[in-house]
Amino acid sequence: MIKIAVDAMGSDLGSSVVVTAIQKFLKDYPDVAFIVCGQENELSALNNLERVSICPTTGVMGMEDGALDVMRRKDTSMMKAIEYMANKEVNAVVSAGSTGAFLTAATLKLRLIPGVMRAALVSPFPRQDGQSVTILDIGANNENQPAQLVQFAHMGKVFNQVMNGTKEPKIYLLSNGAEAKKGSPLVKEAHKLLEVEPGLNFKGNLEAREVLSGVADVVVADGYSGNVLLKATEGVASMMNGMIKTAFKTNVLTKIGYIFAKKGFGDFKARMDYKKYGGAMLLGVNGVVVKGHGNSDDYAFYNAIRVAYTLAKQDIVTALGKEMAHGEGL
Amino acid sequence: MIKIAVDAMGSDLGSSVVVTAIQKFLKDYPDVAFIVCGQENELSALNNLERVSICPTTGVMGMEDGALDVMRRKDTSMMKAIEYMANKEVNAVVSAGSTGAFLTAATLKLRLIPGVMRAALVSPFPRQDGQSVTILDIGANNENQPAQLVQFAHMGKVFNQVMNGTKEPKIYLLSNGAEAKKGSPLVKEAHKLLEVEPGLNFKGNLEAREVLSGVADVVVADGYSGNVLLKATEGVASMMNGMIKTAFKTNVLTKIGYIFAKKGFGDFKARMDYKKYGGAMLLGVNGVVVKGHGNSDDYAFYNAIRVAYTLAKQDIVTALGKEMAHGEGL
C-alpha cells in the first residue's frame, strides 16, 4: 500500500478539486491510501471512505506566505501533511500551496539526502516526439554553485530512469550556445566539471530553443534560469493555445473548419497539456515531495498525485541515495 | 538619405537572400542607399543600381568564429561593413553573421556611448494584443551587474519610445516571482536600484510567463537569462507551429478543415512570425548596429534592414546619448 499525505487547502481553486481528484484516484488505484489534511467541513465527502483518513486542521498557508512564515504556522494543513512524511507515516506528500513555503518546510523538516548540497525542483516537459524531457532545477534555488549543477545531473538522471525507464539518459546543460566555451561563468565552470564526471551520459551544452526538440532526456540548469525556461515555455504555450482558439472562432468558415480539424487538434492539445504532468518533485530531500500547480484543477491535481504515487512506488529516494553515495566524484 | 552598410556574406542561406532583400528595399524606400560588402561575383545583380555601391571583400567570417577571430580578419565583409559605421560614412550597419564576432567587433570599433557600461542586445517580441514588447539584454552579455540592468532599463525605454512611440513605456524586471523580494541576488539588487531610479516608469518584477501577455512595454534581464527567454520563446513557438501543421495533416477531414480555417490561421501566423521583427539591435554603442537572424531568408533580412533604417532615421543614438547624460543617477 502506498500512503500519500495531501494538503487539501493549498490550491487556488479550493479544496473541492482536491476532494474530486482523491475520489477518482482511489477508484483507479487499489493500492493507495490517503491522509488528507484540511478543514473538516470541506472534506466531508471523504469522511467514510475506506482508504482515507482525515487530519483536521484550522490554519491555511496563504499563496503569498513564504519561507519565513511557514515554520511558525504549525497548525496549517501544509505543515501537518509534511510532518506525516517527516515521521515516515506516509510514502509521499502532495500540495498545491505556496511554492516557497512548501519547499522550505519540506527541506527543513525532511532534511537532505546525505551528500546532497541543494534540493532541486524537477518536472517532465512535453517533447516534440511525444516523449518527455526532465528539467531541473526549475525554481527551488535562486543561485547555484557549479558542483550543485553536477549533483542536479545525477538526480535528473535517476528521475528520468524511474519515470521514463531510459537506461542511460542523455544529459545536457542549459546554455546560451551549444559550444563548450559558451555560457555564464557558472555554466562554463559546471561544463568543465560535467565533462569529467563519471557515471553521467553528458552530451554538452544545449540552447533553450532545443530543450523540447527531443535530443535531450535531462536538461540541467540553475534554479533561476530553469524557472525562466519553465515559465517562458508555459507562457508561450498558453498564449498560442489561446490564439488557436481565436483562429477557429474568426468566422463561420473557420468554425466549420474546426469541426473537421478537431481530431488533429485533440492530439495536439493532449501533447501540450501541462496539466497532464501534474506536479513538480523536490529532489534531494528524504521523501517524495510533490508540488502541484497553484491553479490545479481536479485533473491536474490527480496527475500530481499520480507523480507522487509513481515515484514512491519506485522508491526514488533510495535510488537517489545510492546514486549520491556511489556516483564517483560526489 | 539614410545610408546602410550591409555584410552580404553572413547569412546561413547565402548572399542571394541579402541581394533580394536589398532590391526590394530600394523599391519600397526612396531615401535609402546601401554599401554592400561581399564577394563581387555574388553581388552582380546589384552592380549598376543607382543607390548601391559595392565594397568587394574576399574573407568571410564563419558562423563559429568568435570574439577572438574577428579583429584579426580585417579582410572580411563583416569588418568592412562595421568600419563604414565606425568612420560615420553610413547611418547603420546590418549583418546576419556570427553573433559573437559581430557584437565584439562592433563594440571594439564603435566604442560605447559615454556613460554606458555595457552594450545590450534588444529585440521586439510579439505580444498577445498584437503590439510588441522590448526585451533586453537578450545575449550580448554572459554576466551583468545590478547597475548595468538599470542602464538597460533606460536604453530599453528609449528603444521602445523610438520604435513603438510609447510615451512612458511600462518597464518590468524579469524575475522568478512578481514580488519585490523574489529573484536571483542580481535581480534583487537591481530591483532596489530601479525602485529609486528617476526617469523610469518602473512597475516591478515580471515572471517569464507574463512577458508576452501585454502588461509590459519593456522587460529588463541580464544577458544570460534574456537569452534563455528569447530562445525558449522561439523554440516553443516553432514547435507549436510544426504541431499545428501536423494537426491539419492528420487525415482527409482535418485537411478539409484547414481549407475552411485558413483565414483564421493566416492572422495567427503573421502575429507569431519572428521573421517580421527581423533584427536585434546592439544598444549602447556609437552607431546603429543590427544583427539579423543567422538563418534569415530574404523577408527576414528585409525586416532587419527595416529595423536599421527606422532606428537610424529616428537617430536613436543621439536619443540614447541624451538619456544617458541627463537621466539622473547614471
Side-chain angles (χ1 to χ4, degrees):
Chain A
M1 190 68 76
I2 302 294
K3 284 190 191 167
I4 302 176
V6 174
D7 164 18
M9 307 310 289
S11 167
D12 294 352
L13 304 178
S15 58
S16 65
V17 301
V18 175
V19 169
T20 310
I22 289 174
Q23 286 170 325
K24 181 158 174 20
F25 206 90
L26 284 164
K27 268 184 209 144
D28 295 350
Y29 292 80
D31 64 339
V32 73
F34 289 98
I35 300 179
V36 186
C37 303
Q39 285 172 6
E40 227 173 343
N41 61 329
E42 299 193 17
L43 304 175
S44 53
L46 298 173
N47 248 342
N48 295 310
L49 296 179
E50 211 175 300
R51 287 175 277 133
V52 177
S53 54
I54 308 285
C55 147
T57 54
T58 47
V60 176
M61 292 294 303
M63 281 312 280
E64 298 301 308
D65 287 334
L68 296 169
D69 305 296
V70 64
M71 297 304 282
R72 288 197 285 259
R73 306 281 310 277
K74 296 205 185 304
D75 63 324
T76 60
S77 52
M78 185 187 279
M79 274 305 276
K80 286 290 175 199
I82 290 171
E83 271 168 11
Y84 281 107
M85 182 76 242
N87 299 334
K88 305 215 181 300
E89 293 173 61
V90 295
N91 305 98
V93 57
V94 182
S95 172
S98 158
T99 307
F102 188 55
L103 299 191
T104 306
T107 308
L108 290 172
K109 280 286 181 185
L110 305 179
R111 300 184 182 274
L112 296 169
I113 293 171
V116 172
M117 291 180 275
R118 288 286 188 93
L121 202 56
V122 63
S123 177
F125 281 58
R127 246 166 45 173
Q128 200 151 9
D129 59 3
Q131 302 298 309
S132 72
V133 50
T134 298
I135 308 184
L136 77 165
D137 172 27
I138 54 169
N141 298 279
N142 280 327
E143 194 185 17
N144 289 109
Q145 300 303 317
Q148 293 163 0
L149 297 196
V150 176
Q151 291 201 334
F152 293 174
H154 281 282
M155 297 199 293
K157 168 189 159 187
V158 172
F159 183 89
N160 193 271
Q161 286 172 332
V162 168
M163 284 297 276
N164 297 27
T166 319
K167 217 179 151 202
E168 289 191 34
K170 291 190 287 290
I171 301 168
Y172 284 85
L173 178 64
L174 181 69
S175 186
N176 56 357
E179 307 88 335
K181 60 181 179 179
K182 287 284 181 75
S184 65
L186 167 67
V187 167
K188 284 180 195 168
E189 201 49 50
H191 188 105
K192 284 183 204 156
L193 297 178
L194 284 163
E195 273 186 330
V196 296
E197 178 73 9
L200 295 177
N201 184 16
F202 178 60
K203 296 295 206 178
N205 285 352
L206 194 73
E207 292 190 88
R209 145 181 336 122
E210 299 293 329
V211 161
L212 307 182
S213 71
V215 297
D217 296 311
V218 176
V219 176
V220 173
D222 64 284
Y224 182 77
S225 309
N227 193 262
V228 169
L229 178 66
L230 162 78
K231 287 176 183 163
T233 302
E234 283 182 359
V236 179
S238 130
M239 168 170 153
M240 290 187 73
N241 276 330
M243 287 167 76
I244 290 170
K245 268 188 209 156
T246 310
F248 276 123
K249 284 182 186 160
T250 306
N251 57 37
V252 178
L253 287 179
T254 60
K255 282 178 191 164
I256 295 172
Y258 178 67
I259 296 166
F260 285 104
K262 220 171 177 176
K263 168 81 178 68
F265 281 85
D267 298 348
F268 175 97
K269 216 185 142 191
R271 197 177 305 174
M272 282 310 288
D273 190 357
Y274 283 86
K275 287 178 185 160
K276 195 173 74 181
Y277 295 95
M281 181 184 166
L282 185 66
L283 277 181
V285 294
N286 281 305
V288 173
V289 176
V290 173
K291 168 73 182 69
H293 215 295
N295 61 8
S296 292
D297 57 15
D298 55 334
Y299 173 63
F301 202 87
Y302 176 95
N303 283 316
I305 296 172
R306 190 177 48 74
V307 170
Y309 170 86
T310 307
L311 293 170
K313 189 148 183 172
Q314 304 255 4
D315 199 5
I316 190 170
V317 177
T318 302
L320 283 166
K322 280 186 189 162
E323 176 80 14
M324 300 320 267
H326 303 302
E328 290 160 72
L330 286 175
Chain B
M1 189 69 74
I2 301 294
K3 284 190 190 168
I4 301 176
V6 174
D7 164 17
M9 308 308 290
S11 166
D12 295 352
L13 303 178
S15 57
S16 65
V17 300
V18 176
V19 169
T20 310
I22 288 175
Q23 286 170 326
K24 181 158 175 14
F25 206 89
L26 284 164
K27 267 182 211 146
D28 295 349
Y29 293 80
D31 64 340
V32 73
F34 289 99
I35 299 179
V36 186
C37 303
Q39 286 173 5
E40 227 173 342
N41 61 328
E42 298 192 18
L43 304 175
S44 53
L46 299 173
N47 248 340
N48 295 312
L49 295 180
E50 211 176 300
R51 286 174 279 132
V52 176
S53 55
I54 307 287
C55 147
T57 54
T58 47
V60 176
M61 292 294 304
M63 282 311 281
E64 298 303 307
D65 288 334
L68 296 168
D69 305 296
V70 63
M71 297 304 282
R72 288 197 286 259
R73 306 281 310 278
K74 297 205 185 301
D75 63 324
T76 59
S77 53
M78 183 187 281
M79 274 305 276
K80 286 291 175 198
I82 290 171
E83 272 168 12
Y84 281 107
M85 182 76 244
N87 299 334
K88 305 216 181 297
E89 294 172 60
V90 295
N91 305 97
V93 56
V94 182
S95 172
S98 157
T99 307
F102 188 55
L103 299 191
T104 307
T107 309
L108 291 172
K109 280 285 179 185
L110 305 179
R111 299 183 183 276
L112 296 169
I113 293 171
V116 171
M117 290 182 275
R118 287 287 187 92
L121 203 55
V122 63
S123 178
F125 281 59
R127 245 167 46 172
Q128 201 151 7
D129 59 4
Q131 302 297 309
S132 72
V133 50
T134 298
I135 308 184
L136 77 166
D137 172 26
I138 54 168
N141 299 280
N142 281 326
E143 195 185 15
N144 289 109
Q145 300 303 316
Q148 294 163 1
L149 297 197
V150 176
Q151 291 203 331
F152 293 173
H154 281 282
M155 298 200 292
K157 166 190 161 188
V158 172
F159 183 90
N160 193 271
Q161 286 172 331
V162 168
M163 285 296 276
N164 297 26
T166 318
K167 216 179 152 202
E168 289 192 36
K170 291 190 288 290
I171 301 169
Y172 283 85
L173 179 64
L174 181 70
S175 186
N176 55 357
E179 305 90 336
K181 60 181 180 177
K182 287 283 181 78
S184 64
L186 166 67
V187 167
K188 284 179 196 168
E189 202 50 48
H191 188 106
K192 283 183 206 158
L193 297 179
L194 283 163
E195 272 185 331
V196 296
E197 177 73 8
L200 295 178
N201 185 15
F202 178 59
K203 295 295 206 179
N205 286 351
L206 194 72
E207 292 192 89
R209 112 162 32 95
E210 299 294 328
V211 162
L212 307 182
S213 71
V215 296
D217 296 311
V218 176
V219 176
V220 173
D222 64 285
Y224 182 77
S225 307
N227 193 262
V228 169
L229 177 66
L230 162 78
K231 287 176 182 164
T233 302
E234 284 182 358
V236 178
S238 129
M239 170 170 151
M240 290 186 74
N241 275 330
M243 286 166 76
I244 290 170
K245 269 189 207 156
T246 310
F248 277 123
K249 284 183 187 161
T250 306
N251 58 35
V252 178
L253 287 178
T254 60
K255 282 178 191 165
I256 295 172
Y258 177 67
I259 297 167
F260 284 104
K262 220 172 177 175
K263 168 82 178 68
F265 280 87
D267 299 347
F268 176 95
K269 216 186 142 188
R271 195 175 310 172
M272 283 309 288
D273 191 358
Y274 283 86
K275 287 179 185 160
K276 195 171 75 180
Y277 296 96
M281 181 182 167
L282 186 65
L283 276 181
V285 295
N286 281 304
V288 174
V289 175
V290 173
K291 168 71 182 70
H293 214 294
N295 62 8
S296 291
D297 57 15
D298 54 333
Y299 173 62
F301 202 86
Y302 176 96
N303 283 315
I305 296 172
R306 190 176 48 73
V307 170
Y309 170 86
T310 308
L311 294 170
K313 190 150 183 170
Q314 305 254 5
D315 199 5
I316 189 170
V317 177
T318 301
L320 283 166
K322 280 185 191 161
E323 176 81 14
M324 300 321 267
H326 303 300
E328 290 160 73
L330 286 176

